[in-house]
Amino acid sequence: MPCERKPMRYGHSEGHTDVCFDDEGKCIVTCGSDGDVRIWESLDDDDPKSINVGEKVYSVALKNGKLVTAVSNNTVQIHTFPEGDPDGILTRFTTNANHVTFNSSGSRVAAGSSDFIVKIVEVVDSSQQKTLRGHDAPVLSVALDPSDEFLASSSCDGSVTVWSIESQTQVAQWKILQKSSDVSNAKSLCRLAWQPRSGKLLAIPVDLTIQLYDRNTWTHVSTLSGDLISQVVNVVVWSPCGKFLAAGTIGGNLLIWDVEAKLCIERQKHEKGFTVCGMAWHPSGGRIAYTDTEGCLGKSGFEFFMLL
């Protein structure tokens, strides 16, 4: 595949960042440790719109004109999009939320926090919440399955847990991660992801691999790996069609697999080896955006937009 590189750009200050697209793929939205959310019309946008939402922003999600952020004041906030007007607090924790995500329809938001708790909140009525308790350490990542039946979460306690949303109980758990005392000490953010549409497979970054689990049996069915993965996988995202899976690593590698064929079809290397900590597919499936821990912004590759 042809690979094109362009000079990297400043996006946010040094530290953790996250990225998503709007529903139509017209804008790229990033957040960072500077407390800002930025809306980019393209990677050539010299004047992205900037919205300050707090001291630090750990995660951002966007759906149906609702911009949701996990902020360092222990809240999950909503802003209008693209205006950026404050639209209330969705939920609160006793410490910071580390990851937020919408369900497929945009009716629910899930958030995982360093107080070991996962919450699922109805967007139109934030008083309607479900609380999932059972992790023994900070929650790293959360993902809602396409059918709204299950939620998966990863934690510093070394586990990945699948929960029944309705009963708020655990239905599966795997002790497959390295334990850590806090998110800042974790070897990986373990940004896991359900296969779109069917939700048949749950993809989990585990050390130098991606493990795939079947939602019908909760058994491990496949492992994806690659020669270029020399450091821990940090984040994985499915293509909208559910056929391809992209991964970003601590060492700055970007890899894409044809999942059914178990074939790595694209490999790229961050020129400075910065950690990839946020990643999103364009809604059309043709491009990928991702962010790194240095807050830089760049563009490279075969039909891929990269936020580094």
Side-chain angles (χ1 to χ4, degrees):
M1 292 185 178
C3 181
E4 177 189 8
R5 292 192 180 274
K6 291 189 176 183
M8 294 166 59
R9 299 187 52 189
Y10 174 83
H12 293 273
S13 59
E14 180 181 350
H16 178 76
T17 52
D18 198 9
V19 62
C20 63
F21 284 98
D22 70 324
D23 294 335
E24 297 179 352
K26 294 180 178 179
C27 299
I28 304 167
V29 179
T30 62
C31 70
S33 58
D34 49 15
D36 290 336
V37 171
R38 293 202 171 94
I39 303 171
W40 309 77
E41 293 184 0
S42 72
L43 292 185
D44 298 321
D45 187 352
D46 291 325
D47 188 26
K49 182 173 182 176
S50 186
I51 307 165
N52 185 266
V53 299
E55 184 179 349
K56 293 183 179 180
V57 192
Y58 299 108
S59 183
V60 63
L62 176 61
K63 203 84 171 178
N64 300 340
K66 298 290 185 180
L67 180 70
V68 174
T69 53
V71 188
S72 54
N73 64 358
N74 306 342
T75 65
V76 176
Q77 302 177 4
I78 296 184
H79 286 72
T80 62
F81 183 85
E83 299 82 10
D85 297 328
D87 197 23
I89 293 175
L90 198 60
T91 191
R92 297 178 184 271
F93 293 90
T94 58
T95 184
N96 56 279
N98 300 313
H99 191 220
V100 294
T101 185
F102 276 98
N103 64 352
S104 299
S105 66
S107 62
R108 288 173 166 173
V109 168
S113 171
S114 285
D115 62 9
F116 311 175
I117 290 174
V118 175
K119 291 184 179 181
I120 304 168
V121 188
E122 300 294 325
V123 174
V124 296
D125 182 4
S126 61
S127 67
Q128 300 297 311
Q129 300 189 16
K130 295 181 183 294
T131 301
L132 308 178
R133 304 176 188 271
H135 281 300
D136 297 320
V139 178
L140 293 164
S141 172
V142 291
L144 289 159
D145 96 280
S147 67
D148 260 3
E149 186 178 357
F150 301 113
L151 177 142
S153 57
S154 58
S155 169
C156 293
D157 63 15
S159 71
V160 172
T161 301
V162 179
W163 312 76
S164 165
I165 296 174
E166 183 62 31
S167 66
Q168 301 175 62
T169 58
Q170 297 182 11
V171 297
Q173 186 179 78
W174 308 285
K175 297 283 189 177
I176 53 178
L177 308 178
Q178 295 187 46
K179 292 184 179 181
S180 59
S181 60
D182 188 69
V183 176
S184 61
N185 300 321
K187 297 295 183 182
S188 168
L189 292 175
C190 194
R191 290 285 193 258
L192 36 73
W194 295 94
Q195 189 173 25
R197 301 179 185 178
S198 68
K200 180 181 179 181
L201 297 173
L202 175 64
I204 306 172
V206 181
D207 295 326
L208 307 185
T209 69
I210 301 166
Q211 295 188 10
L212 301 177
Y213 286 78
D214 182 272
R215 68 170 284 144
N216 294 319
T217 61
W218 305 123
T219 57
H220 173 231
V221 294
S222 183
T223 297
L224 303 176
S225 60
D227 295 338
L228 287 184
I229 304 183
S230 58
Q231 296 194 39
V232 172
V233 179
N234 210 31
V235 55
V236 297
V237 286
W238 288 91
S239 64
C241 66
K243 295 180 179 180
F244 305 101
L245 190 67
T249 75
I250 298 296
N253 289 311
L254 173 68
L255 301 99
I256 301 175
W257 282 270
D258 179 322
V259 174
E260 185 175 352
K262 298 182 183 179
L263 179 66
C264 185
I265 60 173
E266 178 70 11
R267 305 177 185 184
Q268 295 185 10
K269 172 70 176 177
H270 189 306
E271 62 186 56
K272 295 186 178 180
F274 294 154
T275 293
V276 178
C277 54
M279 184 179 286
W281 282 86
H282 188 276
S284 70
R287 295 171 286 175
I288 288 177
Y290 68 91
T291 55
D292 76 3
T293 53
E294 297 295 321
C296 299
L297 175 63
K299 181 180 179 181
S300 174
F302 177 74
E303 291 190 347
F304 301 116
F305 283 112
M306 296 183 182
L307 287 150
L308 299 176

